Amino acid sequence: MSRFAALFLLGAVVFAGLPARAETALAGAVEQGSLVVVRTEPGAKVALDGENLPASSDGVFAIGFDRDHGPTSKLVVTLPDGRVETKTLAVAPRAWHIQRIEKIAPALVNPPPEALARIRREVAMKAAARPNDTPQEWFAGRFIWPAKGVISGVFGSQRFYNGEPKNPHYGVDVAAPVGAAIVAPAAGIVRLAEPDMYFEGGLVFIDHGQGVISIMMHMSRIDVKAGQRVAQGHPIGAVGQTGRATGPHLHWAMVWREAHIDPSLLVPGVSAAGAVSGAAVGGD
């Protein structure tokens, strides 16, 4: 055997003994309103559509797609050895329920002028309570329903009042009696706990890491404080009818950075179409 052949054989044996490097892997459907958990090599740098994103120390990070996201998204992962993985993601569209309601009194559609200053203050408060740089990856695990009840509103639906389009419904509504328990759907840190917001009433933000935040609205009671660490299933308060709510329910919304996410997609047993109106949920 020649010296070259011997060296080639030795290199092949050494390479064969090394673990194969797994390609960057995505878990979750890539569609409008979805949150996807991505796993890559520790130390990799990642970017989605040109925006740099944080990743945990073991290479886990989140990406999300807004309700109205376009048909594609570009994910670029730069590995520690300099290699670059580029993935063009096809973002599947979803169909949204549209409801048109006419002859509604204008005062019930738009807030009165005297409330605008308060609303602006609360918008700033909410924006300040949504960090993007929490390094933990609590979002990567299984979520549970935060309340037990019946789905009365689904993510992405939109109403037109007197022909005027209002903001889409960026959450899932669980109808339940006033006082019914609300728990943390996953571990995280409470970033906001306010009992009397104009639109939301009793409002709690739970930071699940890397810009993934659960938003609980219309609560009658809040049992946690900002800065408190909560485990999955930890009681955080009770269902109510506070703020601008027409009946007792929990509105569970979620954001990833600036994208509105359908939280129901993170609960096992829910299809890629999201939660279904009238379905009984909770009691996990």
Side-chain angles (χ1 to χ4, degrees), residues 5 7 30 52 74 81 109 131 147-148 170 186 219 250 254:
L7 289 174
V30 179
N52 294 328
K74 184 178 180 181
D81 63 6
V109 178
K148 184 177 181 179
Y170 288 129
M219 298 171 64
L250 169 67
M254 181 174 287

Side-chain angles (χ1 to χ4, degrees), residues 66-68 155-156 167-172 251-254 260-261 263:
D66 194 81
R67 172 193 186 272
D68 299 314
F155 177 88
N167 287 334
H169 188 249
Y170 288 129
V172 178
H251 176 93
W252 177 25
M254 181 174 287
H260 298 279
I261 301 301

Side-chain angles (χ1 to χ4, degrees), residues 74-208:
K74 184 178 180 181
L75 176 65
V76 178
V77 179
T78 304
L79 301 169
D81 63 6
R83 287 175 292 170
V84 177
E85 292 182 356
T86 300
K87 295 179 181 289
T88 299
L89 307 176
V91 182
R94 289 171 63 185
W96 310 115
H97 176 69
I98 303 298
Q99 186 178 17
R100 299 182 184 275
I101 303 175
E102 303 295 335
K103 298 180 180 180
I104 298 295
L108 299 178
V109 178
N110 298 306
E114 59 268 23
L116 296 181
R118 174 186 175 183
I119 292 170
R120 284 193 292 268
R121 289 194 303 271
E122 293 180 355
V123 167
M125 182 191 305
K126 290 180 285 187
R130 287 172 44 179
N132 290 331
D133 56 356
T134 305
Q136 283 85 356
E137 54 188 75
W138 294 307
F139 59 84
R142 167 184 179 271
F143 279 65
I144 62 173
W145 286 104
K148 184 177 181 179
V150 175
I151 297 295
S152 58
V154 297
F155 177 88
S157 60
Q158 187 175 23
R159 284 180 172 178
F160 285 68
Y161 291 108
N162 302 333
E164 179 184 351
K166 307 307 291 183
N167 287 334
H169 188 249
Y170 288 129
V172 178
D173 290 342
V174 180
V178 171
I182 301 173
V183 301
I189 300 171
V190 177
R191 297 298 185 185
L192 188 70
E194 291 291 331
D196 184 27
M197 304 290 274
Y198 182 81
F199 289 112
E200 302 91 350
L203 176 66
V204 169
F205 285 6
I206 302 178
D207 177 5
H208 302 298

